[in-house]
Amino acid sequence: MNCTPPGWAAHRFPGGAFCVPARFAGQADAGWFDARRPDAAPVGEGGRQAAWFVDGVHGPAVLRHYRRGGLRARLGGRESYLWLGASRVRAYAEVRVLDHLRRAGLRVPEPLGAAYWRPGASPFYRNAILIARIAGAQALAGRLDRADPAAVAQAIAAMHAAGVWHADLNAYNILFDADDQVWLIDFDRARLGVVSPGQAEKNRLRLRRSLVKVAGARGAQWWDALSRCFPPC
């Protein structure tokens, strides 16, 4: 399997590697993926305190480092993943999914780069992804009173029709831009392939749980309106 989409350039550096679209091949360096870069400002909503707003030659962007949750995070190794080859690096896999969806015409962030660190041929690695920032974006969680269920249903159905199963479809991973267009984000652990009716339903029910957690009865009510907008299986 190719590690990167067509038209991308891969670069190695001591202790790791990164890839970027070819137009940035002569400008990018490993510092693009460093959360300590001077322009990094923490993203305050959603996630695991592992995302930062950044700006530069690549334009306004979001830098996200991959971090585990749950028991593994409490036991240590929050940012470490077992090395299974470059093609299995989670950041690279997410870049491929984003590229696939953008080619299919869906509104998802443009991937601007991905990197991994594996010093000394370690059996573990860390990784990060850089994606274009969506201007004026607001999460569904914070604007249920102004969100169109039909538009959200259409975006989710289009994602499934394009052959992508989202591993964490929740109220923070559905965004509205300044023009009220729906965007889907955070495709870590997403899977490419035919999405069965059962898998699609699993995605939708995960979103329902998120909406109820975020907004209680109002979230459940909004979900009911959303569910009526999905096309029949």
Side-chain angles (χ1 to χ4, degrees):
M1 175 188 292
N2 291 332
C3 296
T4 59
W8 278 54
H11 300 267
R12 300 195 64 84
F13 60 88
F18 67 87
C19 63
V20 292
R23 70 183 187 275
F24 295 132
Q27 301 166 297
D29 58 48
W32 278 23
F33 306 95
D34 189 341
R36 297 167 298 181
R37 53 187 286 182
D39 61 324
V43 175
E45 188 175 58
R48 295 180 175 134
Q49 294 77 54
W52 297 265
F53 294 127
V54 295
D55 205 346
V57 173
H58 48 64
V62 176
L63 171 65
R64 191 176 85 243
H65 282 216
Y66 290 72
R67 286 184 181 172
R68 296 180 182 275
L71 180 62
R72 179 59 186 269
R74 293 194 293 272
L75 293 176
R78 188 172 185 178
E79 293 190 4
S80 65
Y81 297 87
L82 181 65
W83 178 256
L84 297 171
S87 66
R88 299 285 295 276
V89 168
R90 289 170 71 149
Y92 283 24
E94 186 167 355
V95 162
R96 293 193 296 268
V97 171
L98 289 170
D99 180 74
H100 170 82
L101 288 171
R102 285 175 60 81
R103 290 175 184 272
L106 275 74
R107 291 187 186 89
V108 297
E110 179 187 5
L112 300 173
Y116 67 83
W117 297 266
R118 185 183 173 231
S122 167
F124 299 97
Y125 73 95
R126 298 182 298 109
N127 62 146
I129 191 170
L130 186 70
I131 58 174
R133 186 173 179 180
I134 302 166
Q138 292 182 310
L140 172 63
R143 50 167 296 160
L144 287 180
D145 291 336
R146 296 179 290 123
D148 179 5
V152 173
Q154 182 180 20
I156 295 171
M159 174 185 70
H160 290 152
V164 172
W165 180 83
H166 197 297
D168 190 20
L169 192 64
N170 64 50
Y172 291 99
N173 288 337
I174 299 173
L175 305 182
F176 287 81
D177 65 19
D179 296 320
D180 283 337
Q181 301 290 336
V182 178
W183 295 70
L184 303 179
I185 66 168
D186 195 354
F187 286 87
D188 179 29
R189 297 182 294 116
R191 294 201 296 265
L192 280 168
V194 176
V195 179
S196 70
Q199 290 171 322
E201 180 68 3
K202 184 177 180 180
N203 265 181
R204 294 191 290 259
L205 291 179
R206 186 176 184 86
L207 176 57
R208 185 187 189 281
R209 292 193 296 273
S210 173
L211 288 167
V212 171
K213 181 178 180 179
V214 166
R218 176 71 185 98
Q221 182 182 25
W222 197 90
W223 160 259
D224 289 340
L226 174 69
S227 65
R228 292 191 290 269
C229 298
F230 285 119
C233 296

